[in-house]
Amino acid sequence: MTAAHDTRSPSVVEAMGVVLHDAGGPGDADPRVLLGLALRRNPRRAQLLVSRVLGKHVPTDPRLVRAAGLLLGARVADVLDGCAPRPLPVDALHTAVAGDRDAASAVHAEAVDGSGRAHDVAVLGFAETATALGHCVAEALRADYLHSTRRPVAGIATAGGFTEEHSHATDHLLLPTDPAFLTAPRPLVLVDDELSTGRTAFNTIAALHETAPRQRYVLAALVDSRPPDSRLVDDVAALGARLDVVSLARAGVALPADLAERADALRAAVDAGPTGPGPRSPDVVRVRLADLGWPHPTPAGARHGFGPADHARLAAALPAVAAALAGTAGLHPGARTLVLGTEELMAVPLRLAQELADAGHDVSFSTTTRSPAVVTDDPGYALTSGITFPAHDDPADGPGPRYAYNVGGPGDQRWDHVLVVVDPPADTPALDAGLLAALAGRTHALTVVVTP
């Protein structure tokens, strides 16, 4: 019997030719579960590995997002203590990624219970994707935390910086209010969502080591996809320091030799397709967390540092703050709700979303981004919808477009409620005219939540 000829056109993922392999061991997650594939609009790197547990490009159960960070932090603790990284609850984790909210709740509960003793380390998260992930790792370690930033702040001196070579926005600043965060000789834990080559990590370690040498670094990522011939650990050893790499999953990534040409052709084909309708003016409610019991003096993020006492204050106050937010915004437990963070502001939106989910609300969490990527509603492709809008926080590097992915297309089911979380510098008329207007046709209700 002659086999039928497959006349279908290849999907975008098939046409890209990028293949992920599981390179981990027993007790590790499968990177093919944790990651999807998409195309960047960036000449430095064509492929985009889209995390399903990060809460950046994909609206995700916030309990799963926090659990992934806490589990990563627990594995870092194991390595710091001289132990092998603990096995992950792989089956439950994979089931949660598939959308099972009960599994997400169970994995979150296990991750919270697995957090152990305090460690005298500093934790540094990479903006913009790993700011909340770094918070979770630091929380698990009960450690001091700082994340890099692309927003200079008047009155705060720059204590350091580095370059992320493949990123759309390459320059990072380090702005701790306490300079000892970077100069104390304790181990430094660097946190990123995905480790591809290690160049960003090495650039950071080399820059910091030159001014404040230390004996030990740990690099933590959700997925480690370095090639087998990576010399990252050896290069750090040449500086006179030890580096351990910790992840939830290890991936092999096979790239076709003509990926750049394939990517150009696919972008052109997608860009020739139809566009959706323009935005309309939204009706917006504004809520300020300072009016809902925010625990002063806890900062709303770690741009300038966030310590164990801040973690404890926030954890104690969050259930009441989230309940007050639900009441003020008019959320209902059965309503399909999206909590949308904005660029580097991920940790507070994540924790609010997680508390709402714990209270029985149907909540997903994701975040806007600076990174341009191809959007197409194609089988197996990771970014099926997206909106583009102008920057709304008067960025130091000038105006430019920003993006939110997988928030729904013109023909998709609308959210019942979207909560957009911003800090005061980002609550501007440009927010209303841009992001909020673009979201208005994708939700029945829209609330802006302003942090202190």
Side-chain angles (χ1 to χ4, degrees):
M1 183 175 180
T2 304
H5 179 62
D6 187 357
T7 59
R8 68 181 177 87
S9 299
S11 70
V12 172
V13 170
E14 290 170 337
M16 285 172 63
V18 177
V19 179
L20 295 178
H21 304 282
D22 183 1
D28 291 342
D30 188 332
R32 297 165 297 185
V33 175
L34 302 191
L35 297 174
L37 288 171
L39 279 171
R40 299 175 184 265
R41 295 187 183 275
N42 182 341
R44 299 182 186 93
R45 183 180 296 173
Q47 76 279 8
L48 176 64
L49 303 182
V50 179
S51 175
R52 299 186 176 112
V53 297
L54 181 65
K56 193 65 179 177
H57 301 88
V58 180
T60 305
D61 189 313
R63 295 166 297 185
L64 173 59
V65 175
R66 184 171 180 236
L70 293 175
L71 290 170
L72 182 61
R75 284 192 146 194
V76 170
D78 293 336
V79 169
L80 288 168
D81 293 339
C83 304
R86 68 194 65 186
L88 300 173
V90 173
D91 291 343
L93 182 62
H94 289 179
T95 302
V97 174
D100 188 312
R101 300 188 80 85
D102 290 337
S105 178
V107 170
H108 180 245
E110 180 173 342
V112 171
D113 290 343
S115 296
R117 67 176 182 84
H119 288 74
D120 184 20
V121 300
V123 180
L124 176 63
F126 289 99
E128 61 179 41
T129 53
T131 57
L133 179 61
H135 264 277
C136 295
V137 169
E139 185 182 2
L141 297 171
R142 302 183 192 178
D144 292 327
Y145 178 55
L146 177 78
H147 70 69
S148 66
T149 181
R150 296 183 176 110
R151 183 198 288 176
V153 177
I156 304 293
T158 301
F162 56 91
T163 298
E164 187 177 10
E165 296 176 5
H166 70 269
S167 176
H168 179 72
T170 59
D171 294 332
H172 292 243
L173 303 174
L174 300 176
L175 305 177
T177 52
D178 180 6
F181 180 93
L182 295 173
T183 58
R186 56 190 174 174
L188 180 64
V189 179
L190 300 99
V191 182
D192 209 350
D193 61 309
E194 186 256 332
L195 182 60
S196 295
T197 65
R199 282 196 298 267
T200 298
F202 182 76
N203 288 343
T204 308
I205 291 170
L208 295 175
H209 200 77
E210 183 176 3
T211 57
R214 68 191 73 222
Q215 294 181 343
R216 190 173 188 187
Y217 298 88
V218 178
L219 178 56
L222 294 171
V223 178
D224 178 3
S225 60
R226 287 174 299 151
D229 61 351
S230 170
R231 291 192 49 80
L232 175 61
V233 173
D234 295 329
D235 289 343
V236 173
L239 298 176
R242 170 181 172 180
L243 174 67
D244 295 284
V245 180
V246 182
S247 63
L248 299 187
R250 295 175 59 199
V253 183
L255 305 177
D258 60 344
L259 178 57
E261 292 77 12
R262 293 181 185 220
D264 287 342
L266 288 166
R267 292 187 196 104
V270 170
D271 292 345
T275 59
R280 63 176 175 82
S281 298
D283 297 321
V284 179
V285 174
R286 271 178 166 75
V287 177
R288 300 190 180 277
L289 293 181
D291 300 330
L292 302 180
W294 180 264
H296 297 288
T298 307
R303 184 175 283 118
H304 308 305
F306 201 94
D310 297 315
H311 283 294
R313 268 196 309 271
L314 185 61
L318 266 175
V321 173
L325 173 60
T328 303
L331 298 183
H332 303 288
R336 185 169 168 263
T337 301
L338 173 66
V339 175
L340 185 66
T342 43
E343 295 189 44
E344 295 173 10
L345 182 61
M346 295 183 68
V348 167
L350 169 61
R351 292 304 307 278
L352 289 170
Q354 170 251 307
E355 291 289 347
L356 291 170
D358 283 345
H361 292 271
D362 181 7
V363 179
S364 296
F365 165 71
S366 64
T367 321
T368 66
T369 177
R370 286 174 169 243
S371 299
V374 172
V375 170
T376 183
D377 189 3
D378 195 71
Y381 190 77
L383 306 179
T384 59
S385 66
I387 57 176
T388 304
F389 52 93
H392 51 87
D393 61 348
D394 190 25
D397 56 354
R402 302 293 186 262
Y403 311 90
Y405 297 109
N406 291 318
V407 294
D412 293 337
Q413 178 187 1
R414 289 199 288 177
W415 298 95
D416 293 312
H417 209 130
V418 174
L419 305 178
V420 179
V421 186
V422 297
D423 57 10
D427 185 18
T428 63
L431 173 69
D432 292 76
L435 174 57
L436 302 186
L439 285 170
R442 292 164 170 81
T443 181
H444 295 288
L446 190 54
T447 298
V448 173
V449 181
V450 186
T451 71

